[in-house]
Amino acid sequence: MTGNSYYFRKIHSLLGVIPVGFFLIEHLLTNYEAVKGHAAFVDQINWLNGLPLVLFMEIFGIWLPLLYHAVYGLYVAYQARNNVSNYGYFRNRMFFLQRVTGVITFLFVAWHFFETRLQVAFGNVEHSELGMTMHDIATNPVLFTIYVIGIVSAVFHFSNGMWSFLVSWGITVGPRAQRISTYIWMGVFVVMAVMFIMSLVSFTGTEFEQLPAAAQAGH
């Protein structure tokens, strides 16, 4: 990897935004439908899975890019060395947190994928029953805590990664632009984290214990 590290890093950086970043935002908006109720969440899930070539898009538009980003990211985290002389103290801490949250996010996404999407693929859970699966997870205090940690890590990794992406691709040049970018992406981090946690709390509601009436009729 050493000889081509520049290109590997550029691909890793780009995939962190397109399509992995888009997937995180889509996942946020889908799960946020739970705030509106179980029926709204099921409708959103059914709409997504009714898209043409959805399996092709999942494999080549999400999972393979995510796998490359995760595996190469772990390699970068292993190779990384913090250097306070090259980075300001705040940015050095953010650099360190980016690596830590990358590892946490990798483990969390793998586990979440096994608990949800893979169970659907195995035929153990229907798409319309994912709200009930999330209810079982969210009502377990230990799993709820793990999910909060995983969610916050994933959102931080994305938000801080976007700051780094804009710098490395020459979009935010100079201290002032980078300082403004820091404020913007810190705000994005807070908003996304709150929305994700609100979604998770919504799954604890008793209405997620069973399918909504409309879904039961068509089940």
Side-chain angles (χ1 to χ4, degrees), residues 140-207:
N140 182 309
V142 174
L143 298 183
F144 183 91
T145 302
I146 292 174
Y147 258 70
V148 170
I149 294 171
I151 287 167
V152 171
S153 295
V155 174
F156 176 87
H157 190 75
F158 166 71
S159 302
N160 190 55
M162 282 300 306
W163 183 92
S164 300
F165 172 84
L166 294 175
V167 173
S168 64
W169 286 79
I171 298 172
T172 50
V173 180
R176 183 173 181 274
Q178 292 172 13
R179 184 170 61 253
I180 293 173
S181 181
T182 296
Y183 296 144
I184 291 173
W185 290 110
M186 286 179 68
V188 170
F189 163 69
V190 171
V191 171
M192 290 183 68
V194 169
M195 289 178 67
F196 262 124
I197 292 173
M198 287 176 63
S199 304
L200 186 62
V201 171
S202 296
F203 284 121
T204 64
T206 55
E207 66 176 299

Side-chain angles (χ1 to χ4, degrees), residues 43-94:
D43 287 344
Q44 183 68 13
I45 291 291
N46 289 338
W47 178 79
L48 281 174
N49 288 281
L51 293 174
L53 302 174
V54 64
L55 182 60
F56 177 88
M57 289 190 292
E58 280 188 340
I59 293 173
F60 294 98
I62 299 173
W63 302 119
L64 288 180
L66 181 59
L67 182 64
Y68 175 88
H69 184 79
V71 171
Y72 188 74
L74 290 175
Y75 169 78
V76 171
Y78 176 76
Q79 294 289 326
R81 296 293 183 271
N82 286 351
N83 190 333
V84 178
S85 64
N86 289 341
Y87 302 95
Y89 285 103
F90 171 75
R91 195 38 64 184
N92 192 62
R93 293 191 193 101
M94 299 295 272

Side-chain angles (χ1 to χ4, degrees), residues 6-7 15 35-37 41 47 54 64 84 94 99 105-106 115-116 132 149 181 214:
Y6 173 82
Y7 300 103
L15 290 180
V35 175
K36 303 175 185 177
F41 177 73
W47 178 79
V54 64
L64 288 180
V84 178
M94 299 295 272
R99 304 304 175 239
T105 300
F106 173 75
E115 289 286 316
T116 55
M132 297 163 63
I149 294 171
S181 181

